[in-house]
């Protein structure tokens, strides 16, 4: 199910067809210089913005051009910018300036990947690509900003727009929260492109939807020597191999069959020569869990297995964990509301399958309730793949949905019964 085929600009989503194809008016026409009155016009405007972001990807914490463009768009549309004491990223708001406050968050960073999509608007920066759909997220939230700006005088509170940097390295959400500029937010909403769902269909579910992406590193200390004399040294390589096998089998086993847990050893490094036993070996990998309890069990099991395996081989092990966001846990009531809003707009909703990828949107949900929504961007190569492509056909529909969702949440939070747009 799609909202627009970007090549022909023909809406083929059932709901949109029913409501009058591309000529269907947007829920609140955008006046002023933009003069956007129909979904087709909104779609064209958003596709131009999306293609520009896609052509100019910037990696984590270096999103300088992206930040500048976002601020230019928002200023052009008359959206209030809030001074953000961070090198990249932007914060803005629409509405009364008072509570209740609902936040829409998107992320800005691209990846160190060489694009191989062959798209006419492919990345112009070698070795950099929007391979995680963050260009789609930003454009959708900008589209929502355009629509919300036109409804500003009727909003029953404030929508805070968070354009967050450095999501890919988990260093964006925490600094954003520490600015103290989000203290009054009551609810958070975020989206992520999903290449496993048809373009324009949403994936929503309550509870844990994304994992805690822990990163561990184990340094195994042995004693180097001649390859011909293992009895005079302590070879850390068989020890590392035993530890890798034990970790992958035993850690999920400790957590049990009814809780999702993934452990992958992704890197082993040791030795420089074929006939020299090295002194050290390094193991690195990731532990993925869906709850704080399972995470704690997993971390303690990794430390224990590393230590005891090393001991069995006469070596020692040092285990380090790096900071990671918690699992993304959607509030049940807000997830139901988000799904109901989509259905009332005629948008297809599926019950989202949880995934073991991590997302620092979880940091916001640690503060306040909210919902992280998957947006189908067309079945294709997975996130972070050099051929990943987010189908832009769903941009205007996503923007409209996000705007409508926060308007209805503000209505609900402010106790108003007028949940429907006039
Ligand atoms: Ni992402």
């Amino acid at each position: 199910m799609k909202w627009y085929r970007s090549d022909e600009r023909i809406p083929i989503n059932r709901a949109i067809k029913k409501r009058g194809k591309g000529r269907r008016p947007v829920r609140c026409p955008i006046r002023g210089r933009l003069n956007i009155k129909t979904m087709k016009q909104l779609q064209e405007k958003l596709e131009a913005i999306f293609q520009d972001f896609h052509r100019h990807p910037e990696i984590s914490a270096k999103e300088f051009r992206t930040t500048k463009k976002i601020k230019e768009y928002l200023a052009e549309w008359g959206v209030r910018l809030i001074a953000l004491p961070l090198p990249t990223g932007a914060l803005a708001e629409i509405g009364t300036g008072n509570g209740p406050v609902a936040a829409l968050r998107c992320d800005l960073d691209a990846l160190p990947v060489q694009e191989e999509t062959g798209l006419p608007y492919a990345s112009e920066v070698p070795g950099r690509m929007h391979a995680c759909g963050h260009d789609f997220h930003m454009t959708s939230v900008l589209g929502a900003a355009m629509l919300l700006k036109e409804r500003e005088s009727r909003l029953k509170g404030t929508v805070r727009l968070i354009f967050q940097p450095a999501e890919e390295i988990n260093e964006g959400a925490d600094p954003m929260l520490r600015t103290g500029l989000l203290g009054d937010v009551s609810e958070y909403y975020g989206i992520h492109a999903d290449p496993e769902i048809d373009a324009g269909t949403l994936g929503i579910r309550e509870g844990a939807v994304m994992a805690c992406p822990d990163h561990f590193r184990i340094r195994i200390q042995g004693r180097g020597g001649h390859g011909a004399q293992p009895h005079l040294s302590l070879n850390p390589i068989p020890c590392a191999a035993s530890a890798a096998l034990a970790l992958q089998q035993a850690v999920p086993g400790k957590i049990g069959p009814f809780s999702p847990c993934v452990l992958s050893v992704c890197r082993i490094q040791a030795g420089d020569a074929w006939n020299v036993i090295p002194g050290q070996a390094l193991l690195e990998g990731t532990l993925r869990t869906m709850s704080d309890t399972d995470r704690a069990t997993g971390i303690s099991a990794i430390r224990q297995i590393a230590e005891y395996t090393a001991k069995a081989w006469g070596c020692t092990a040092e285990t380090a964990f790096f900071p990671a966001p918690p699992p993304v846990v959607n509030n049940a009531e807000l997830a139901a509301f988000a799904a109901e809003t989509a259905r009332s707009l005629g948008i297809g909703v599926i019950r989202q399958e949880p995934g073991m990828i991590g997302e620092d949107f979880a940091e916001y949900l640690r503060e306040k309730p909210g919902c992280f929504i998957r947006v189908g961007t067309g079945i294709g190569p997975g996130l972070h793949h050099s051929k990943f492509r987010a189908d832009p056909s769903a941009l205007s529909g996503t923007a409209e949905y996000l705007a409508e969702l926060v308007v209805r949440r503000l209505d609900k939070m402010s106790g108003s019964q007028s949940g429907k747009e006039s």
Side-chain angles (χ1 to χ4, degrees):
M1 196 191 298
K2 291 187 180 182
W3 290 346
Y4 285 88
R5 280 218 303 267
S6 50
D7 50 344
E8 295 172 42
R9 305 197 188 291
I10 299 169
I12 57 171
N13 173 295
R14 254 184 313 153
I16 303 280
K17 267 183 186 167
K18 211 165 55 190
R19 287 190 284 161
K21 300 192 175 181
R23 289 183 300 283
R24 178 170 71 83
V26 290
R27 294 180 74 81
C28 193
I30 296 161
R31 299 172 201 94
R33 278 190 294 138
L34 288 172
N35 197 24
I36 289 171
K37 296 194 182 88
T38 65
M39 287 298 282
K40 186 178 168 189
Q41 289 170 338
L42 178 64
Q43 176 69 18
E44 284 169 356
K45 175 75 187 164
L46 294 181
E47 278 192 28
I49 294 173
F50 169 76
Q51 291 186 6
D52 178 67
F53 282 141
H54 194 85
R55 281 195 178 98
H56 301 101
E58 293 173 302
I59 54 165
S60 307
K62 306 268 185 238
E63 309 92 338
F64 296 105
R65 180 190 184 275
T66 308
T67 299
K68 187 166 165 277
K69 293 299 284 185
I70 288 167
K71 287 182 176 172
E72 281 172 10
Y73 291 128
L74 294 170
E76 184 188 341
W77 305 332
V79 175
R80 279 194 304 283
L81 282 160
I82 298 170
L84 186 69
L86 298 175
T88 56
L91 201 56
E93 69 176 20
I94 300 171
T96 60
N98 299 314
V101 181
L104 277 182
R105 172 272 202 180
C106 61
D107 38 14
L108 317 187
D109 46 340
L111 287 157
V113 169
Q114 180 62 45
E115 180 159 353
E116 292 180 317
T117 59
L119 286 167
Y121 54 89
S123 169
E124 292 176 5
V125 188
R128 303 281 183 268
M129 178 189 173
H130 268 296
C132 199
H134 297 191
D135 45 356
F136 184 95
H137 309 163
M138 292 183 254
T139 310
S140 300
V141 172
L142 283 170
M146 263 195 258
L147 296 166
L148 288 164
K149 182 65 192 167
E150 286 301 311
R151 302 162 82 159
E152 187 165 31
S153 60
R154 282 170 285 154
L155 292 181
K156 307 267 172 51
T158 304
V159 180
R160 190 78 39 82
L161 305 165
I162 304 170
F163 296 89
Q164 183 209 297
E167 187 280 328
E168 295 291 354
I169 55 171
N170 295 327
E171 289 177 13
D174 195 45
M176 193 63 89
L177 283 161
R178 277 192 276 111
T179 60
L181 296 168
L182 300 173
D184 55 351
V185 173
S186 306
E187 296 177 359
Y188 287 97
Y189 297 90
I191 55 167
H192 207 291
D194 193 326
E196 292 176 19
I197 308 179
D198 288 332
T201 296
L202 302 179
I204 302 176
R205 129 185 236 134
E206 76 292 343
V209 291
M210 296 182 88
C212 165
D214 272 308
H215 166 195
F216 65 84
R217 180 182 291 161
I218 301 168
R219 203 175 291 281
I220 294 170
Q221 189 64 51
R223 196 171 61 245
H226 198 294
Q229 297 173 312
H231 56 294
L232 300 180
S233 53
L234 281 174
N235 191 344
I237 290 179
C239 174
S242 298
L245 290 173
L247 286 166
Q248 296 222 168
Q249 289 173 358
V251 175
K254 291 241 180 212
I255 285 169
F258 301 108
S259 297
C261 170
V262 167
L263 185 142
S264 296
V265 175
C266 299
R267 183 169 172 237
I268 294 191
Q269 197 181 41
D272 295 307
W274 69 275
N275 56 357
V276 178
I277 291 172
Q280 235 183 40
L282 192 78
L283 280 178
E284 262 189 304
T286 184
L287 169 73
R288 307 282 166 136
T289 48
M290 287 293 206
S291 74
D292 290 342
T293 316
D294 291 345
R295 181 187 194 184
T297 306
I299 286 177
S300 118
I302 289 172
R303 286 191 195 283
Q304 201 179 49
I305 289 164
E307 187 192 329
Y308 291 169
T309 308
K311 256 189 200 157
W313 286 86
C315 302
T316 57
E318 220 177 81
T319 306
F321 285 86
F322 298 87
V328 176
V329 182
N330 283 344
N331 176 279
E333 186 196 329
L334 301 186
F337 192 96
E340 185 44 43
T341 301
R343 283 190 202 100
S344 75
L345 294 174
I347 299 168
V349 182
I350 58 162
R351 191 167 155 77
Q352 179 195 338
E353 287 295 320
M356 300 310 270
I357 292 175
E359 237 295 343
D360 70 1
F361 184 72
E363 304 279 9
Y364 303 101
L365 297 189
R366 189 138 65 170
E367 303 291 319
K368 287 287 161 58
C371 187
F372 197 58
I373 297 156
R374 290 294 192 127
V375 178
T377 49
I379 312 286
L383 299 171
H384 294 204
H385 192 282
S386 58
K387 289 186 177 161
F388 167 78
R389 73 175 279 197
D391 185 341
S393 65
L395 282 167
S396 54
T398 306
E400 189 188 34
Y401 167 69
L402 290 175
E404 191 60 24
L405 175 62
V406 287
V407 165
R408 291 190 192 186
R409 283 311 303 166
L410 292 183
D411 283 347
K412 177 101 178 164
M413 283 193 274
S414 65
S416 161
Q417 297 305 305
S418 56
K420 304 271 189 311
E421 164 62 5
S422 55

